[in-house]
């Protein structure tokens, strides 16, 4: 039951209306039931994995706190050392043994489901809630937070359905704190509902009008690249940059909109990534919950940039290598991560170039690495590069399976998203502008967006709504 399915269209209004009617702590119970029901539609076995992971993590957190050899780090220590152990967080004794054992268990389970060669499918959301669990345990172990004693609260923290399938990878200081204070959340605030509903609607547009339409030519060319020329390969590679952006950002906007209507504020995951002028800047804008997780729980514990340039370079490569293999089993995912690591080591941020040129160079670099990310194997990557070098011509444009009108819609969608990001970068907030209009204008805008989704979101014989891309990771 994905966010774009008819089943979810019936599921969420019921969950939301009942939630609004319930008092206090009963809201948490209802949301946990709804979240488990949501995941259960993908398969009961996936629900069993989540419940098992939740129980182990909660028990481990309680054990770490009750061990008694961990002191709280103050905010200054945390900012200076990240998760590096210090005099305030001892790295020996039973707590360390429990911490290491449970982290190994989580990583082993993730690797088993993700990299096994049998027909066992990857449980929905496993990569996301596993990283969330590891981050929670690391925070408890290092004393930056207290363990959650209420199992209901922690179970909801792990299972909260808006962020369950594709994140964001939440932190206990954000989502868990809101769950602990669920009685005070302003779920009935009309202004919050309007803002959240508009964000949900925009996410639907990103996914159904842009990402899924771009998927048609991208899938056609990448699945049979030998039938196309180099021009088509480069064209769909550029398009893929917008497909994965609108797909993943669309999911995040929908998740934040759904959570917002329930009174929760999820972490933002994107900040106009193609406006970046360096690799480092890109990762401050793209998949923020993952990049900050890798920084706090991999890069900084390895030593960060505190031990010289060579060690910094090694730490960066390890961190981006972890990012690569988190995304998938193929060697091309690892290569994609390492390319970003090399790009950050030899970053262009200090080059004396106009900012627009840096942005252009960055987009070309990011887009080239998206090709590595998108291919099915290194063999396919080699074959596609060979086609580009030896057959750079337009060979079978019709084989990309879009009609003229659909190409127009695709280009318009990309232009709208790009213009929105450029204007947002300059400080203009579209959502705020819309919400400031009178009721008639707002209704016209809402009607136009809904109409576009209903009419153009199902346009064309080759068109079909696909699953969100990051679900597979």
């Amino acid at each position: 039951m994905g966010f774009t399915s008819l089943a979810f269209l019936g599921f969420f209004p019921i969950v939301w209306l009942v939630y609004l009617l319930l008092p206090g702590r009963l809201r948490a119970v209802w949301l946990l039931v709804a979240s488990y029901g949501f995941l259960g539609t993908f398969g009961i076995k996936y629900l069993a994995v989540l419940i098992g992971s939740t129980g182990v993590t909660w028990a481990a957190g309680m054990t770490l706190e009750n061990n008694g050899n961990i002191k709280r780090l103050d905010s200054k220590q945390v900012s200076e050392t990240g998760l590096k152990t210090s005099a305030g967080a001892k790295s020996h004794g039973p707590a360390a043994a429990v911490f290491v054992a449970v982290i190994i268990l989580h990583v082993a389970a993730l690797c088993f489901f993700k990299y096994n060669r049998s027909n066992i499918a990857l449980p929905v959301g496993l990569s996301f809630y596993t990283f969330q669990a590891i981050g929670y345990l690391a925070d408890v172990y290092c004393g930056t937070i207290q363990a959650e004693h209420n199992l209901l609260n922690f179970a909801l923290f792990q299972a909260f359905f808006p962020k369950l399938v594709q994140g964001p990878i939440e932190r206990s200081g954000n989502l868990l704190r809101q769950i602990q204070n669920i009685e005070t959340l302003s779920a009935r605030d009309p202004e919050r509902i309007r803002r959240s509903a508009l964000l949900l609607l925009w996410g639907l547009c990103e996914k159904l009008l842009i990402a899924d339409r771009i998927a048609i030519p991208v899938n056609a060319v990448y699945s049979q690249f030998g039938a196309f020329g180099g021009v088509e390969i480069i064209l769909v590679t550029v398009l893929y940059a917008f497909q994965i952006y609108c797909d993943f950002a669309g999911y995040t906007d929908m998740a934040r909109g759904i959570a917002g209507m329930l009174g929760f504020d999820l972490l933002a995951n994107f900040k106009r990534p193609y406006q970046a002028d360096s690799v480092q800047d890109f990762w401050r804008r793209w998949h923020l919950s993952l990049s900050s997780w890798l920084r706090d729980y991999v890069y900084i514990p390895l030593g960060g940039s505190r031990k010289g340039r060579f060690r910094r370079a090694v730490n960066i490569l390890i961190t981006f290598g972890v990012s690569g293999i988190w995304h998938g089993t193929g060697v091309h995912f690892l290569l994609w991560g390492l390319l970003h690591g090399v790009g950050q080591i030899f970053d262009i941020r200090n080059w004396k170039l106009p900012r627009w040129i840096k942005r252009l160079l960055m987009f070309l670099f990011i887009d080239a690495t998206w090709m590595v990310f998108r291919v099915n194997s290194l063999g396919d990557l080699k074959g596609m590069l060979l086609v580009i070098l030896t057959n750079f011509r337009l060979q079978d444009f019709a084989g990309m399976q879009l009609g003229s009108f659909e190409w127009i819609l695709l280009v318009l969608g990309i232009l709208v998203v790009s213009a929105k990001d450029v204007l947002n970068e300059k400080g203009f907030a579209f959502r705020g502008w819309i919400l400031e209009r009178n009721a008639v204008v707002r209704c016209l805008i809402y009607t136009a967006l809904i109409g576009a989704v209903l009419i153009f979101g199902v346009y064309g014989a080759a068109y079909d709504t696909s699953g969100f891309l990051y679900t597979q990771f």
Side-chain angles (χ1 to χ4, degrees), residues 383-449:
M384 295 179 76
L385 293 175
L386 189 62
V387 171
I388 293 173
L389 293 174
T390 62
N391 187 29
F392 190 75
R393 63 189 180 92
L394 192 63
Q395 183 166 312
D396 186 15
F397 189 78
M400 299 170 76
Q401 302 180 16
L402 286 183
S404 299
F405 184 60
E406 289 179 301
W407 278 109
I408 293 173
L409 291 176
L410 185 153
V411 172
L412 285 175
I414 291 175
L415 289 176
V416 168
V417 169
S418 300
K420 173 181 173 294
D421 279 2
V422 169
L423 291 174
N424 283 349
E425 189 76 3
K426 295 180 181 297
F428 181 81
F430 271 98
R431 191 158 50 121
W433 181 87
I434 293 173
L435 292 170
E436 289 172 357
R437 303 307 97 189
N438 60 50
V440 174
V441 174
R442 289 201 311 270
C443 286
L444 288 174
I445 294 173
Y446 300 155
T447 301
L449 292 175

Side-chain angles (χ1 to χ4, degrees), residues 150-163:
N150 188 310
L151 180 56
L152 170 64
N153 286 347
F154 186 75
L156 182 55
F157 171 63
Q158 286 292 88
F160 189 50
F161 73 89
K163 61 86 190 170

Side-chain angles (χ1 to χ4, degrees), residues 89-110:
K90 299 176 183 178
S91 60
H92 61 274
V98 170
F99 176 67
V100 171
V102 178
I103 296 301
I104 290 174
L105 178 63
H106 276 304
V107 173
L110 181 60

Side-chain angles (χ1 to χ4, degrees), residues 81-144:
T81 66
L83 291 177
K84 184 182 178 184
T85 56
S86 68
K90 299 176 183 178
S91 60
H92 61 274
V98 170
F99 176 67
V100 171
V102 178
I103 296 301
I104 290 174
L105 178 63
H106 276 304
V107 173
L110 181 60
C111 290
F112 170 76
F113 285 110
K114 206 175 186 74
Y115 308 122
N116 73 85
R117 298 298 180 183
S118 62
N119 294 322
I120 301 176
L122 176 68
V124 173
L126 178 65
S127 297
F128 294 91
Y129 64 72
T130 294
F131 268 28
Q132 185 169 294
I134 291 173
Y136 164 80
L137 289 175
D139 288 344
V140 173
Y141 176 67
C142 290
T144 59

Side-chain angles (χ1 to χ4, degrees), residues 25 147 200 308 368:
R25 296 303 303 171
L200 170 58

Side-chain angles (χ1 to χ4, degrees), residues 279 283 316-317 320-321 324 331-346 362 365-366 368-373 378 381:
V279 176
W283 282 100
I316 287 174
L317 289 177
F320 278 97
V331 179
H332 60 287
F333 286 113
L334 175 60
L335 176 59
W336 169 78
L338 294 177
L339 286 172
H340 275 269
V342 172
Q344 183 150 328
I345 293 170
F346 302 101
M362 275 309 307
F365 171 79
I366 296 301
T369 60
W370 281 139
M371 174 185 278
V372 179
F373 185 91
L378 289 181
L381 176 63

Side-chain angles (χ1 to χ4, degrees), residues 137-273:
L137 289 175
D139 288 344
V140 173
Y141 176 67
C142 290
T144 59
I145 65 168
Q146 293 183 340
E148 174 54 59
H149 292 217
N150 188 310
L151 180 56
L152 170 64
N153 286 347
F154 186 75
L156 182 55
F157 171 63
Q158 286 292 88
F160 189 50
F161 73 89
K163 61 86 190 170
L164 179 61
V165 177
Q166 284 185 221
I169 302 169
E170 276 291 340
R171 302 296 184 91
S172 54
N174 183 51
L175 179 57
L176 185 54
R177 184 174 298 171
Q178 293 178 70
I179 292 171
Q180 291 167 341
N181 298 284
I182 195 169
E183 301 96 331
T184 65
L185 298 184
S186 55
R188 298 187 181 98
D189 178 26
E191 180 64 21
R192 167 180 278 276
I193 293 172
R194 282 197 295 267
R195 294 184 66 86
S196 301
L198 182 57
L199 188 60
L200 170 58
L201 182 55
W202 173 247
L204 272 171
C205 291
E206 289 177 292
K207 170 62 175 172
L208 296 180
L209 296 180
I210 305 174
D212 282 351
R213 179 163 280 111
I214 295 176
I216 298 169
V218 170
N219 292 342
V221 174
Y222 270 81
S223 62
Q224 294 182 323
F225 61 87
F228 296 90
V231 173
E232 292 104 313
I233 291 176
I234 289 180
L235 174 60
V236 297
T237 299
V238 173
L239 292 177
Y240 182 69
F242 293 96
Q243 180 197 351
I244 193 169
Y245 176 35
C246 291
D247 187 284
F248 197 16
Y251 174 91
T252 299
D253 287 343
M254 292 173 70
R256 293 178 64 213
I258 292 166
M261 292 181 70
L262 295 168
F264 292 87
D265 293 313
L266 295 183
L267 297 173
N269 235 359
F270 292 92
K271 190 180 179 181
R272 306 172 293 280

